[in-house]
Amino acid sequence: MKKIICSALFVICCHTSVFAGDIYVFAGDIYVSPTDGNDTAQGTSAAPLKTIDAALRMAREWRRLELDDKLRGGVNIILRGGTYRLDRPVFIRPEDSGTADSPTVIRGEGSTPAVISGGTSVTGWRKADDDPRIAAKARGRLWVSDAPMQGNRIVYARQMYADGRKALRSTQFGEYRMERMTDFNPTDESITIPTPETDLSRAGQLEMLVHQRWAVAILRVRRMENMGNGQTKVWFHEPESRLEFAHPWPQPVIGGERGNSSFSLNNALELVDEPGEWYQDYPSGQIYYYPKDGEDMAGTDFVVPAMDNLVEISGTRERPVSHIRFDNVTFEHAAWTRPLNEGHVTLQGGFRLIDAYKLDKPGLPHKAALENQAWIARPEAAFKARFASGITLNGCRFAHVGASAVDLEYAVSGSTIDRCTFNDIGGTAVMAGYFGEEGFETHLPYSPAIAQDICSEITISNNVIDDATNEDWGCAAISAGYVKQTNIVQNRVTNVNYSGIALGWGWTALETGMRDNHITGNDVSNYARQLYDAGGIYTLSNQPGSTISGNHISLPADAPYATNERAFCIYFDEATDGFTVYDNDMPERRIGYNQPGPDLKVN
């Protein structure tokens, strides 16, 4: 009898998996290895599969066939260390769902990172031939490579990484440096700037980055004309030209308290004039790079991201995805290429405009003073989920992401992002909730016909976010829209170009379903580095039963190109109401208000 008991205990121990205090007994394990796996193998430790897709399919079949011996306690997809290079996103559907007692867990094994990557290598570097477009100081120093291919197509990129360091896409003045514009003219849709020192007459892919209050615009240059007296007029391609000059909020400022709005010109071979800069030519796709001192081109790992989305969790209202967990997994090299094709003009928070204009006669039934309308679209995201519950990211890492890192888009509930790290994120690190996208005019008060459609019971906790919003400066590090019962707790946020933590949407005092949200115990520093109308913590609209408490918030950075001083430790933007605010640690009580409601209690 003693021998039988010991054998049973041995079996139990061999089939126990431990994740951050949770013990799943008798879990079925599926092993995956990018280096020595094979998708025709058995998925055992000795014979691992090669791809995550194959592992998900095996787990899906176990659930379809109701193999209790495999499902009892959960299914573990164990990723061995190495890079899992994707040629399509990992797609998780309702058939992959686990249960509370039997979740599907995708976890990295051991200390060697398991990296899910949308990147592709850039190889075959050679010294660049003389080209009249190359800046004088860069001649003889540039290297060139043919563009990598994805399938049968050239990969066009806006980001490139050298040994994990983000290379600087060619720019007029240097990283984060700009110059004041002279004029912004909606009549002929032009911007007047000081005439560039560099001859850009052959720069066919030139872009202008425009600083406009709390957002930026990326405008593809169509034509430039030297007007004399040191001034040059610039016109832009559609669709961004019409959007930029028609929408009133935000637009560049001429004659602001601290001067005019600013700009920089980017993306031309002529502008590659400093070590660490790069440029991709069109249509050849050739990539030019100016090496840093001592940089070995043969020994450096160059990567460009080729995919916007790495993981998509997608259910339906009738059949949501449930109980999926990622543990100790790294996500890298998600692209942000859309501005190459259509520019990028935003309303706020990285939400690009589909259409927008000023009303000739202000006022709509829900808001008598409204003088503009806007329709927006959601940013791209490396990891996104919709119609899902019980989604967990635990101890994961996100790096080298062009737009949003994680986005819980719509009808997501009971989900947690905990103890993750986010570094080198182009847009928002963590986004959650609906924001009135696509056909919903963004100023309308949202109230879903089906209450479960609003994102609820989301926990964003104990994460470290360092260097977010470095592509689209107008994003926040953590951004939640129409959500309820959401807790943003004990996160450390630093090095952000706009707001640190943003909660709410809609600019409305009406009931919208947002309620019982809590921002507690976070540390926010070095925010508002480039833009303003910002807050370390920023809120919008009526959110009954919500709190902001126990946060440490430094003073905002001094944005060098801001046209006024509107940046705050906490900013209660339009119609903020329903919050109780107490015990927040700030070097000084720098709090901003914009038409707050009567139930905002600030202690």
Side-chain angles (χ1 to χ4, degrees), residues 456-522:
S456 64
E457 298 179 354
I458 307 296
T459 299
I460 303 167
S461 57
N462 302 299
N463 301 292
V464 176
I465 300 170
D466 184 355
D467 184 21
T469 76
N470 61 33
E471 291 272 344
D472 185 343
W473 301 353
C475 297
I478 298 174
S479 184
Y482 291 106
V483 297
K484 66 179 180 180
Q485 298 168 332
T486 288
N487 297 301
I488 303 173
V489 182
Q490 293 182 345
N491 302 282
R492 182 162 67 85
V493 175
T494 189
N495 297 324
V496 181
N497 291 315
Y498 178 53
S499 295
I501 299 171
L503 177 58
W505 198 250
W507 300 269
T508 181
L510 300 176
E511 286 275 359
T512 62
M514 290 187 290
R515 62 183 311 110
D516 301 317
N517 299 315
H518 306 285
I519 303 175
T520 307
N522 301 280

Side-chain angles (χ1 to χ4, degrees), residues 55-69:
L56 282 167
R57 180 171 178 175
M58 181 176 286
R60 194 179 309 130
E61 287 299 289
W62 289 357
R63 293 196 184 278
R64 183 179 69 85
L65 298 172
E66 298 181 349
L67 302 180
D68 288 345
D69 60 325

Side-chain angles (χ1 to χ4, degrees), residues 19 210 560:
F19 305 109
V210 179

Side-chain angles (χ1 to χ4, degrees), residues 14-17 27-31 42-45 58 62 70 74-78 107:
C14 287
H15 288 78
T16 300
S17 297
D29 290 344
I30 302 171
Y31 286 84
Q42 297 300 307
T44 63
S45 178
M58 181 176 286
W62 289 357
K70 301 290 189 183
V75 177
N76 295 316
I77 296 174
I78 301 167
R107 66 178 176 91

Side-chain angles (χ1 to χ4, degrees), residues 150-325:
Q150 186 88 322
N152 64 349
R153 295 184 181 276
I154 287 174
V155 173
Y156 291 106
R158 290 181 58 85
Q159 303 84 33
M160 184 171 75
Y161 304 92
D163 282 345
R165 170 187 58 80
K166 189 173 189 176
L168 180 62
R169 194 163 176 255
S170 61
T171 184
Q172 183 179 9
F173 303 117
E175 188 172 22
Y176 286 124
R177 292 175 58 191
M178 309 187 89
E179 186 175 30
R180 304 281 180 183
M181 64 179 62
T182 305
D183 189 33
F184 179 85
N185 189 343
T187 301
D188 69 351
E189 298 186 3
S190 71
I191 293 176
T192 303
I193 63 173
T195 297
E197 294 180 3
T198 303
D199 178 8
L200 296 170
S201 59
R202 288 170 291 192
Q205 304 303 309
L206 194 64
E207 297 175 356
M208 180 183 286
L209 177 70
V210 179
H211 183 299
Q212 39 197 40
R213 311 185 195 201
W214 57 84
V216 295
I218 298 169
L219 310 175
R220 296 169 302 154
V221 173
R222 175 171 59 88
R223 183 166 68 93
M224 302 175 69
E225 182 178 339
N226 190 326
M227 308 300 290
N229 298 320
Q231 301 297 306
T232 290
K233 214 169 195 181
V234 188
W235 291 266
F236 308 95
H237 287 288
E238 297 293 356
E240 63 266 38
S241 182
R242 180 182 58 82
L243 290 169
E244 172 68 4
F245 292 94
H247 82 292
W249 302 107
Q251 275 189 346
V253 173
I254 301 298
E257 299 167 20
R258 294 172 55 179
N260 296 344
S261 287
S262 300
F263 75 96
S264 67
L265 295 172
N266 309 301
N267 197 42
L269 182 57
E270 293 90 335
L271 298 175
V272 181
D273 57 4
E274 294 292 339
E277 285 191 302
W278 72 285
Y279 164 74
Q280 185 173 27
D281 203 32
Y282 181 88
S284 71
Q286 288 187 322
I287 297 174
Y288 292 82
Y289 181 68
Y290 192 153
K292 287 181 171 287
D293 291 342
E295 194 166 18
D296 176 14
M297 294 298 293
T300 299
D301 179 27
F302 289 92
V303 176
V304 292
M307 298 174 53
D308 292 341
N309 177 226
L310 306 182
V311 175
E312 180 177 352
I313 299 175
S314 186
T316 67
R317 184 177 287 109
E318 297 77 17
R319 301 186 66 242
V321 178
S322 63
H323 297 97
I324 304 291
R325 175 178 177 130

Side-chain angles (χ1 to χ4, degrees), residues 415-458:
S415 296
T416 300
I417 302 165
D418 184 62
R419 297 190 304 112
C420 296
T421 61
F422 299 84
N423 179 259
D424 183 14
I425 307 299
T428 297
V430 181
M431 182 176 286
Y434 185 58
F435 283 81
E437 306 103 274
E438 304 296 341
F440 192 95
E441 202 283 320
T442 194
H443 299 96
L444 288 171
Y446 175 63
S447 183
I450 299 173
Q452 290 78 8
D453 282 357
I454 193 168
C455 287
S456 64
E457 298 179 354
I458 307 296

